[in-house]
Amino acid sequence: MGSENCECKHKGSCNNENGKCSCQTQKDNSGSKPEGVKCANCKARDSRSSEKPSFTSESYPSLKRDPRYATLSQKDIDFFKGALAKDGGSIVTDIDESSDPSELDAFNIDWTHKYRGKSRLVIKPKTTEQVSQILKYCNSRRLAVVPQGGNTGFVGGSIPVFDEIIINLGLMNHIHGFDELTGILNLDAGVILEDADNYLVSKDHIFPLDIGARKSCQVGGCASTSAGGLRLMRYGNLHGNIIGMEAVLPDGTILNNLVKVREGYLGIITRLSVVCPQKPRSTNAAFLGLPSYNNVLKAFSTAKFHLSEILSAFELMDNTSQIFMDSHSSIPRPIKDEYPFYVFIETQGSSSNHDHEKLCRVVEELKEQKLIGEGAIAKDDKQIDEFVLRRVKTAGCLQDVGSGIYKYDVSLPLDILFDLVYATKERLKDLNLIGDAPGQPVIDVVGFGHVGDGNLHMNVLSRKLEKKVEDALEPWVFAWVASHEGSISSEHGLGFLKKPYVGYSKTPEMISLMKTIKHVIDPNGIMLPYKYVG
Amino acid sequence: MGSENCECKHKGSCNNENGKCSCQTQKDNSGSKPEGVKCANCKARDSRSSEKPSFTSESYPSLKRDPRYATLSQKDIDFFKGALAKDGGSIVTDIDESSDPSELDAFNIDWTHKYRGKSRLVIKPKTTEQVSQILKYCNSRRLAVVPQGGNTGFVGGSIPVFDEIIINLGLMNHIHGFDELTGILNLDAGVILEDADNYLVSKDHIFPLDIGARKSCQVGGCASTSAGGLRLMRYGNLHGNIIGMEAVLPDGTILNNLVKVREGYLGIITRLSVVCPQKPRSTNAAFLGLPSYNNVLKAFSTAKFHLSEILSAFELMDNTSQIFMDSHSSIPRPIKDEYPFYVFIETQGSSSNHDHEKLCRVVEELKEQKLIGEGAIAKDDKQIDEFVLRRVKTAGCLQDVGSGIYKYDVSLPLDILFDLVYATKERLKDLNLIGDAPGQPVIDVVGFGHVGDGNLHMNVLSRKLEKKVEDALEPWVFAWVASHEGSISSEHGLGFLKKPYVGYSKTPEMISLMKTIKHVIDPNGIMLPYKYVG
């Protein structure tokens, strides 16, 4: 399976399918390092990734495998092999020794190295009918399953907790059609976001969503977790652009036209119809340095006012995150001096002259009003790329700072968005967990995110993952967010990480209704057990 | 209740609440005639409206009242009066003779005069808690209910079929708050669309939806029917802009955070949070005459390409509809000559110069390519209004042509969008139902709609409503749409009109799932009986 197309420096020695290698060694090929999953087979992994994380079941000993669920037998494997025989599809399993146990690691371990399941079977169907057959069988046999897309989430949603069967959508990656007049794209749920976008660009359109994990994440996963991403302000949320959906219920029923199947919790999304905007003929970018978060808010108002329909991104980064970017990436600093906050503004429109004129006016006005200390406008496409990468690569770069990272993705009212970072630092200081002294595991707390939709990514960088850090942060962070009228699920869903804390963002009535509907649609509870409200 | 604010020529003699009179006599006050419900109390109604339509139960004699449902008693009325006593709210009922039976007509009869219910009780709650108390009581007493917003739909969704209690949201019309930074508006479901928009305009924003019935329709109704409207291309669908919802389930449970409650079928939407765009600082408009539908499609491509982010409307009208506009309205013709098709293009953006330049370029290019016969660009705001009204008033104006109208609102693939009109005319000709001869009830078939989202409004204008016309059209129209990969529910829901034909747009598996969920949430079936898949 060695891939010719893989761009990492271990070309040939890695063997992810479809050339979708995404090991960290790609980071020096500027522009091609994804924030997604690690290549499980790359021989030259960094020291951290070569250490496998503990099993989730051992990290959370209070959690017990539910005895309702059956255990896999050779007979089951035979059934699944038979089901896939006709139209292709593949299986990774160590039960009949057809695969090496290490081949399962890429599917059992999440990319943040926080979760590790014990699944002994990965099924990669190629058709909706196969998904239907597989689920019908699992339902009748009471075999628990976990649907898996690109495995780029960080709430453990797509990783088994115990021995759930992984249904990986990676081979359902066909683009079925595109209507240039209406912009409607019809595609399998397993299509990689970047592949969909590249296809669309060739048709003078783009996908209405762009996120850091674009090289690895799948459109079905984006839909089921309601991913927001970088350009939500310009193209609206993905949910609003999905006009058709096909999904399979736990009993094997194939549904068409379904509006939403949350998180693979009620069913597996197999196919989507998405309205896609035209490819913008003009992209412009600016990078600002600001003295305070308050000024960030004022600059946001000014940018919204003048840029309006062409404003595609207004992204925040704090200074700490950018200091790490300086030392851990080769992407040049867009502005020289240090500021407490940086903002990346992007416009996308149909006239380069018009858009450039509008953007210059904004930067001028911000300077006149002394809201920014410095403001650079990208001179050419190369510099636009550098500005974009400076923001997009932040998440992946922070991953390399320590050996443990706690990531929180939350929505908060804009005026207090950054207060969570301050409050978290304060708490870790009070508990003597942050600093350079022995026994202080946390290196720093950084914040960045999408100002446009009030979405903050807070990363707690740690020398290693330690239970006492986790205990200091959870559920404290979720309680803080809930008490400040925020949402803890934001654009990444609840998954495993946030399951115990669903009460912080949903009322008891909502949870009760969700459980009722879950029970009707999945009476045997085979889909995504131990997660969400399951 | 005589309203000081009513703008119709019977000021004082009409008594709709809140000055929201919308009788047909307003049509000469240019710009203020809505397409919504008729004023039930206006003394000078046109001859057609003074004739009450037959009861739905008589027009559809095969439909029987479900004996599961209880019949209202004085004790029930007492309970409801008690429930409303504390926080206000009102009741219209002839059971205890507190209201004149004719007062119920405005709520029992739909504005197209196609449906008439026999409800003897309209409850107008003021708070979510009252809705909860009312539904809880109805559920325990097995009293069937129908939620009603502005009553501007034309599928009979908000009109009782038999004696269902009408829960009218009209008094839940409070705007709770607006955040200028994020554009998030928090408001009651019963707020009139135009009121929400006027409020927003004062804050330099607009509501992300605009439809012909803006003066009468309520935001909750727009949300529950997934209304699309005129500017979907620019601001996306309302659904995508709703970020929070409050709703009450049939058992009285109040839910927060709910994403979608379809058509008041699973619950009553009581409150919404909507992301609203900034008010565009520049609006421009063009009106085109085109020789063929094929040219309409080509012009659409050109407009999308050049106008991209500022294109807010691309609306189609056929010649027949505009001939009726000439004779039934005072809005001047934007272009002199007759063409088979007309298109209204609107742009909304932040720079008048930029937008005007782009629009002129489009019209020039369309002329050069000989795609249009004539193309007028509005010279000033007054002319923009005239162009807009020429399209927006089409639906209301057609209502005045005959005394019976059959309205179909369907989605179809763009390339065959208008074929439905041709096919329908052909069918009515074959059946000898269209023409001026005696026994030919149909005057004409016209089409107009939103090209941007493939949404066609087909109106069959008839001298009067006749069963043989309805039988010729239904289910034939729905079958035609389904067999051409269209959707019969489009932006107006299924309601009563399309209930028997749900199978034309939903698979048996979808219907079965919908019924299952319906049964779990509304085991007594009190919500919206006889409709949708209920």
Side-chain angles (χ1 to χ4, degrees):
Chain A
M1 281 202 283
S3 167
E4 287 307 299
N5 302 318
C6 177
E7 289 167 344
C8 84
K9 69 180 185 191
H10 312 112
K11 202 163 175 168
S13 69
C14 79
N15 64 357
N16 273 11
E17 279 184 271
N18 304 325
K20 291 290 158 202
C21 172
S22 48
C23 76
Q24 294 294 329
T25 62
Q26 280 183 84
K27 76 179 167 197
D28 296 328
N29 306 358
S30 77
S32 63
K33 180 199 158 198
E35 294 181 34
V37 291
K38 294 210 178 67
C39 161
N41 305 294
C42 188
K43 304 300 180 215
R45 293 163 65 86
D46 64 35
S47 58
R48 175 169 50 86
S49 4
S50 66
E51 242 180 72
K52 287 182 191 169
S54 349
F55 288 109
T56 307
S57 54
E58 287 162 14
S59 318
Y60 299 85
S62 64
L63 204 64
K64 302 293 174 212
R65 184 183 183 284
D66 192 326
R68 274 190 305 170
Y69 301 122
T71 307
L72 275 169
S73 68
Q74 182 59 45
K75 219 178 126 196
D76 299 323
I77 304 293
D78 294 342
F79 174 85
F80 294 127
K81 286 191 172 168
L84 299 183
K86 194 181 145 217
D87 293 313
S90 75
I91 273 181
V92 184
T93 184
D94 64 353
I95 287 180
D96 61 359
E97 288 170 22
S98 61
S99 314
D100 188 84
S102 68
E103 282 183 52
L104 289 160
D105 285 348
F107 307 96
N108 266 323
I109 300 173
D110 83 309
W111 72 282
T112 68
H113 271 221
K114 197 168 171 187
Y115 304 106
R116 185 174 169 205
K118 290 179 164 180
S119 181
R120 299 187 64 190
L121 172 65
V122 179
I123 307 179
K124 294 182 152 193
K126 279 203 92 161
T127 68
T128 303
E129 287 65 31
Q130 288 176 347
V131 176
S132 167
Q133 272 184 277
I134 292 161
L135 284 184
K136 193 176 174 185
Y137 181 84
C138 290
N139 193 41
S140 70
R141 276 274 292 132
R142 306 287 195 274
L143 287 162
V145 304
V146 52
Q148 185 174 79
N151 210 358
T152 61
F154 55 76
V155 293
S158 62
I159 297 290
V161 179
F162 293 97
D163 59 345
E164 300 94 278
I165 295 171
I166 296 167
I167 301 183
N168 184 298
L169 279 282
L171 296 185
M172 291 185 63
N173 55 6
H174 188 63
I175 293 177
H176 293 274
F178 178 66
D179 181 329
E180 301 208 22
L181 197 57
T182 56
I184 295 171
L185 177 72
N186 190 299
L187 76 178
D188 280 347
V191 173
I192 303 275
L193 177 57
E194 188 174 70
D195 293 344
D197 198 56
N198 286 344
Y199 171 88
L200 285 163
V201 164
S202 74
K203 310 275 183 190
D204 216 26
H205 281 68
I206 57 170
F207 201 82
L209 169 82
D210 194 14
I211 60 177
R214 69 198 315 275
K215 276 180 188 288
S216 316
C217 68
Q218 298 173 5
V219 294
C222 294
S224 60
T225 57
S226 235
L230 299 174
R231 295 190 179 102
L232 188 131
M233 315 181 54
R234 176 76 169 79
Y235 305 109
N237 68 22
L238 178 58
H239 187 52
N241 290 301
I242 293 175
I243 58 160
M245 200 183 266
E246 179 190 76
V248 184
L249 296 187
D251 66 359
T253 304
I254 299 172
L255 290 181
N256 268 301
N257 255 346
L258 199 66
V259 174
K260 202 177 151 130
V261 180
R262 176 107 197 169
E263 292 199 43
Y265 155 82
L266 297 176
I268 297 181
I269 299 173
T270 48
R271 200 158 155 177
L272 296 170
S273 288
V274 184
V275 184
C276 301
Q278 283 187 111
K279 185 183 158 198
R281 287 192 297 292
S282 144
T283 297
N284 286 280
F287 208 93
L288 317 174
L290 303 101
S292 70
Y293 181 70
N294 198 29
N295 280 21
V296 170
L297 295 183
K298 287 181 185 161
F300 180 54
S301 266
T302 305
K304 278 223 305 184
F305 183 78
H306 288 299
L307 302 174
S308 190
E309 69 274 11
I310 57 166
L311 182 58
S312 55
F314 190 99
E315 296 284 314
L316 174 74
M317 293 145 277
D318 68 0
N319 190 35
T320 319
S321 71
Q322 296 311 296
I323 290 173
F324 288 123
M325 276 294 280
D326 291 340
S327 57
H328 285 73
S329 92
S330 56
I331 303 157
R333 230 172 199 280
I335 51 184
K336 234 172 114 185
D337 292 334
E338 267 188 35
Y339 293 91
F341 292 95
Y342 303 91
V343 159
F344 163 66
I345 296 181
E346 188 195 64
T347 66
Q348 295 195 329
S350 57
S351 158
S352 186
N353 289 347
H354 290 172
D355 297 357
H356 191 257
E357 191 184 317
K358 286 177 181 128
L359 185 59
C360 288
R361 192 171 151 192
V362 167
V363 175
E364 261 167 49
E365 194 170 314
L366 293 174
K367 277 182 186 162
E368 274 167 26
Q369 295 174 353
K370 300 205 190 318
L371 289 174
I372 60 174
E374 221 172 317
I377 293 180
K379 285 190 295 283
D380 50 30
D381 286 353
K382 184 173 166 282
Q383 212 173 16
I384 292 175
D385 283 346
E386 285 171 5
F387 286 15
V388 175
L389 289 175
R390 195 74 195 186
R391 161 63 188 89
V392 171
K393 300 285 179 197
T394 300
C397 167
L398 294 170
Q399 199 70 15
D400 293 338
V401 173
S403 276
I405 191 163
Y406 299 90
K407 295 169 85 79
Y408 300 94
D409 169 35
V410 298
S411 291
L412 280 166
L414 259 194
D415 55 338
I416 56 151
L417 186 73
F418 208 77
D419 288 354
L420 175 61
V421 177
Y422 297 138
T424 305
K425 268 193 196 180
E426 214 46 53
R427 176 170 171 83
L428 293 171
K429 257 184 214 160
D430 289 348
L431 296 169
N432 197 26
L433 290 170
I434 188 169
D436 296 328
Q440 291 177 327
V442 177
I443 303 166
D444 219 327
V445 183
V446 305
F448 53 98
H450 319 302
V451 175
D453 47 321
N455 190 204
L456 178 77
H457 300 291
M458 178 172 74
N459 284 198
V460 178
L461 312 175
S462 193
R463 285 178 189 85
K464 55 179 179 169
L465 294 176
E466 275 193 48
K467 198 76 184 120
K468 63 180 175 185
V469 178
E470 188 175 327
D471 290 344
L473 294 169
E474 295 169 21
W476 181 87
V477 168
F478 306 127
W480 194 96
V481 170
S483 69
H484 290 80
E485 297 185 343
S487 158
I488 65 163
S489 55
S490 195
E491 62 169 343
H492 288 271
L494 289 161
F496 179 76
L497 169 66
K498 298 176 184 173
K499 172 175 161 44
Y501 313 118
V502 62
Y504 287 111
S505 70
K506 304 249 181 254
T507 60
E509 293 79 15
M510 266 308 288
I511 296 171
S512 155
L513 175 68
M514 287 157 71
K515 284 187 174 169
T516 303
I517 291 177
K518 167 76 173 169
H519 183 72
V520 172
I521 294 181
D522 185 13
N524 299 325
I526 64 157
M527 290 285 281
L528 215 63
Y530 319 111
K531 290 171 190 167
Y532 204 37
V533 301
Chain B
M1 280 200 285
S3 168
E4 286 308 297
N5 303 318
C6 178
E7 289 166 346
C8 85
K9 69 179 183 192
H10 312 111
K11 203 164 176 168
S13 69
C14 79
N15 64 357
N16 271 12
E17 279 184 271
N18 304 324
K20 291 291 159 202
C21 172
S22 47
C23 75
Q24 293 295 329
T25 62
Q26 281 184 85
K27 76 181 167 197
D28 296 327
N29 305 358
S30 77
S32 64
K33 179 199 158 197
E35 293 182 36
V37 291
K38 293 210 179 65
C39 163
N41 304 294
C42 189
K43 304 299 181 217
R45 294 164 66 86
D46 63 36
S47 59
R48 175 169 49 85
S49 0
S50 66
E51 240 180 74
K52 288 181 192 170
S54 351
F55 288 109
T56 307
S57 53
E58 288 163 12
S59 318
Y60 299 85
S62 64
L63 205 63
K64 301 293 174 210
R65 184 183 183 285
D66 192 327
R68 274 189 305 169
Y69 302 121
T71 306
L72 275 168
S73 68
Q74 183 58 44
K75 218 179 126 196
D76 298 323
I77 304 292
D78 294 342
F79 173 85
F80 295 126
K81 286 192 170 167
L84 298 182
K86 196 180 143 219
D87 294 313
S90 75
I91 273 181
V92 183
T93 184
D94 64 353
I95 288 180
D96 60 0
E97 289 170 24
S98 61
S99 315
D100 188 85
S102 68
E103 282 183 53
L104 289 160
D105 286 348
F107 307 96
N108 266 325
I109 299 174
D110 83 309
W111 72 280
T112 68
H113 272 222
K114 196 167 172 187
Y115 303 107
R116 184 173 170 206
K118 290 179 165 180
S119 180
R120 301 188 62 192
L121 172 64
V122 179
I123 307 179
K124 294 181 153 193
K126 279 202 92 163
T127 68
T128 303
E129 288 65 31
Q130 289 176 347
V131 176
S132 166
Q133 272 183 278
I134 293 161
L135 285 184
K136 193 175 173 185
Y137 181 85
C138 291
N139 193 42
S140 70
R141 276 273 293 132
R142 306 288 194 274
L143 287 162
V145 303
V146 52
Q148 185 174 79
N151 209 358
T152 61
F154 55 74
V155 292
S158 61
I159 297 290
V161 179
F162 293 97
D163 59 346
E164 301 94 279
I165 296 171
I166 297 167
I167 301 184
N168 184 298
L169 278 283
L171 296 184
M172 292 185 63
N173 57 3
H174 188 63
I175 293 177
H176 293 275
F178 178 65
D179 182 328
E180 300 207 22
L181 197 57
T182 56
I184 295 171
L185 177 72
N186 190 299
L187 76 178
D188 280 347
V191 174
I192 303 274
L193 178 56
E194 188 175 71
D195 292 345
D197 199 56
N198 286 343
Y199 171 89
L200 285 163
V201 164
S202 74
K203 310 275 183 190
D204 216 26
H205 281 69
I206 58 170
F207 202 81
L209 169 82
D210 194 14
I211 60 177
R214 68 197 314 274
K215 276 180 189 286
S216 316
C217 68
Q218 298 173 5
V219 294
C222 294
S224 61
T225 57
S226 236
L230 300 173
R231 296 191 178 101
L232 189 131
M233 315 180 54
R234 176 76 168 79
Y235 305 108
N237 68 21
L238 179 58
H239 187 52
N241 290 302
I242 292 175
I243 58 160
M245 200 182 264
E246 180 191 76
V248 183
L249 296 187
D251 67 359
T253 304
I254 299 172
L255 290 180
N256 270 300
N257 257 346
L258 200 66
V259 174
K260 201 177 152 129
V261 180
R262 175 108 196 166
E263 293 198 46
Y265 156 80
L266 297 176
I268 297 181
I269 299 173
T270 48
R271 200 158 154 177
L272 296 169
S273 288
V274 183
V275 184
C276 301
Q278 284 187 110
K279 185 183 157 196
R281 286 191 297 291
S282 144
T283 298
N284 287 280
F287 208 93
L288 318 174
L290 303 101
S292 70
Y293 181 71
N294 198 29
N295 281 21
V296 171
L297 295 183
K298 287 181 185 161
F300 180 53
S301 267
T302 304
K304 278 224 305 185
F305 183 78
H306 287 299
L307 301 174
S308 190
E309 69 276 9
I310 57 166
L311 182 57
S312 54
F314 190 99
E315 296 283 315
L316 174 74
M317 292 144 279
D318 68 0
N319 191 34
T320 319
S321 71
Q322 295 313 295
I323 291 172
F324 287 123
M325 276 294 280
D326 291 340
S327 57
H328 285 73
S329 92
S330 56
I331 304 156
R333 233 173 196 278
I335 51 184
K336 233 171 113 186
D337 291 335
E338 267 188 36
Y339 293 91
F341 292 95
Y342 302 91
V343 159
F344 163 66
I345 296 181
E346 187 195 65
T347 67
Q348 295 195 328
S350 56
S351 159
S352 185
N353 289 347
H354 289 172
D355 297 356
H356 191 257
E357 191 184 317
K358 285 175 181 130
L359 184 59
C360 288
R361 192 171 150 191
V362 167
V363 175
E364 262 165 51
E365 194 170 313
L366 292 174
K367 277 181 184 163
E368 273 167 27
Q369 294 175 354
K370 301 206 188 319
L371 290 174
I372 59 174
E374 220 172 317
I377 293 180
K379 285 191 296 284
D380 49 31
D381 286 352
K382 183 174 166 282
Q383 212 173 17
I384 291 175
D385 283 346
E386 285 171 7
F387 287 15
V388 174
L389 288 176
R390 197 72 196 185
R391 162 62 189 89
V392 171
K393 301 283 179 196
T394 300
C397 167
L398 294 170
Q399 199 69 15
D400 294 338
V401 173
S403 277
I405 190 162
Y406 299 89
K407 297 169 83 78
Y408 300 93
D409 169 36
V410 300
S411 291
L412 280 165
L414 260 194
D415 55 338
I416 56 150
L417 186 72
F418 208 77
D419 289 354
L420 175 62
V421 177
Y422 298 138
T424 305
K425 268 192 198 183
E426 216 45 54
R427 175 168 172 84
L428 293 171
K429 258 184 215 161
D430 290 348
L431 296 168
N432 197 27
L433 290 171
I434 189 169
D436 295 328
Q440 292 178 327
V442 177
I443 304 166
D444 219 327
V445 182
V446 306
F448 53 97
H450 320 302
V451 175
D453 47 321
N455 190 204
L456 178 76
H457 301 289
M458 179 172 75
N459 285 198
V460 178
L461 311 176
S462 193
R463 283 177 190 86
K464 56 179 179 169
L465 294 176
E466 275 194 48
K467 197 80 184 116
K468 64 180 175 185
V469 179
E470 188 175 327
D471 290 345
L473 295 168
E474 296 169 21
W476 181 87
V477 169
F478 306 126
W480 195 96
V481 171
S483 69
H484 289 81
E485 296 185 344
S487 158
I488 64 161
S489 56
S490 195
E491 63 169 340
H492 288 270
L494 290 162
F496 178 77
L497 169 66
K498 298 176 184 173
K499 172 174 162 44
Y501 313 119
V502 61
Y504 288 112
S505 71
K506 304 249 179 253
T507 61
E509 293 79 15
M510 267 308 289
I511 296 171
S512 155
L513 175 68
M514 287 157 73
K515 284 188 174 168
T516 304
I517 292 177
K518 168 76 173 169
H519 183 72
V520 170
I521 294 180
D522 185 13
N524 299 325
I526 64 157
M527 290 285 282
L528 214 64
Y530 319 112
K531 291 172 189 165
Y532 205 38
V533 301

